[in-house]
Amino acid sequence: VESVDWWQGRTVLHRLGLDLPTEAQWERAARGGTATPWYRGREVASLLRPPVGNLADRTSASVLGAQGPAPTPGLDDGYVMHAPVGSFPANPFGLFDTIGNVAEWCRDEYVGYATPPATGDGARPLRAEPTTVMYRGGAFDLPASEARSANRAGGPPDRRHFGIGLRAARAVSTR
């Protein structure tokens, strides 16, 4: 799902008994159990062959020219914009598209790391009417450096953008 704002995403997910992941949950899922900047490795070169995600690349640069984003050197994933879900290998947790395609809304308000996360789901405080909320990950129009598992950004909750989408989350019993 892309081009959906944070409010709409949460509303629809709640109707389905789901929610957005916290940023801590999102990062853990994106890392796939690794401790590296991308689940595939420490260097951009680890993302190249075979391509691990849909990012700004040679294909988009050849089609979009100077109007397009700066490509990730050495990457050619074959897509100018969005790739079909599952076009690239899953991470070690079996999750697809945790590197590129679209950045994903998280449940948290955008606050600094000095604000402590809650025990358990890692949620950060959320006001009833937040002005800036979190999204994580990279998108098809960003270089690999912007798709690191730890990359974070924020935007107004009513923002709709073709490079921002969502990933549903649900509570899982550990019993």
Side-chain angles (χ1 to χ4, degrees):
V1 173
E2 46 89 8
S3 298
V4 61
D5 73 36
W6 185 84
W7 293 113
Q8 182 183 25
R10 289 204 74 199
T11 298
V12 170
L13 289 174
H14 281 181
R15 286 185 198 141
L16 300 171
L18 303 168
D19 203 350
L20 296 172
T22 66
E23 78 164 311
Q25 290 169 332
W26 189 95
E27 185 171 333
R28 185 171 193 287
R31 287 186 184 281
T34 69
T36 54
W38 302 274
Y39 74 80
R40 173 97 52 90
R42 295 191 183 286
E43 305 297 328
V44 171
S46 68
L47 309 178
L48 304 180
R49 288 180 189 78
V52 72
N54 183 17
L55 299 164
D57 68 338
R58 186 172 55 206
T59 297
S60 57
S62 69
V63 172
L64 302 174
Q67 287 75 35
T72 300
L75 179 65
D76 191 5
D77 60 41
Y79 295 94
V80 175
M81 292 185 68
H82 304 100
V85 172
S87 295
F88 301 96
N91 76 6
F93 285 172
L95 300 172
F96 291 93
D97 303 310
T98 60
I99 296 176
N101 225 14
V102 295
E104 297 170 352
W105 290 117
C106 293
R107 188 169 62 209
D108 310 81
E109 192 160 353
Y110 186 86
V111 296
Y113 282 125
T115 303
T119 302
D121 66 3
R124 298 198 191 265
L126 182 63
R127 294 178 289 166
E129 295 292 326
T131 57
T132 306
V133 290
M134 182 67 62
Y135 57 90
R136 299 291 297 263
F140 66 87
D141 61 344
L142 295 171
S145 61
E146 299 293 318
R148 296 176 341 273
S149 299
N151 191 51
R152 60 198 308 252
D158 60 352
R159 181 178 187 196
R160 291 174 185 255
H161 190 270
F162 55 77
I164 303 175
L166 62 84
R167 180 179 301 264
R170 64 180 165 90
V172 177
S173 174
T174 57
R175 291 190 238 178

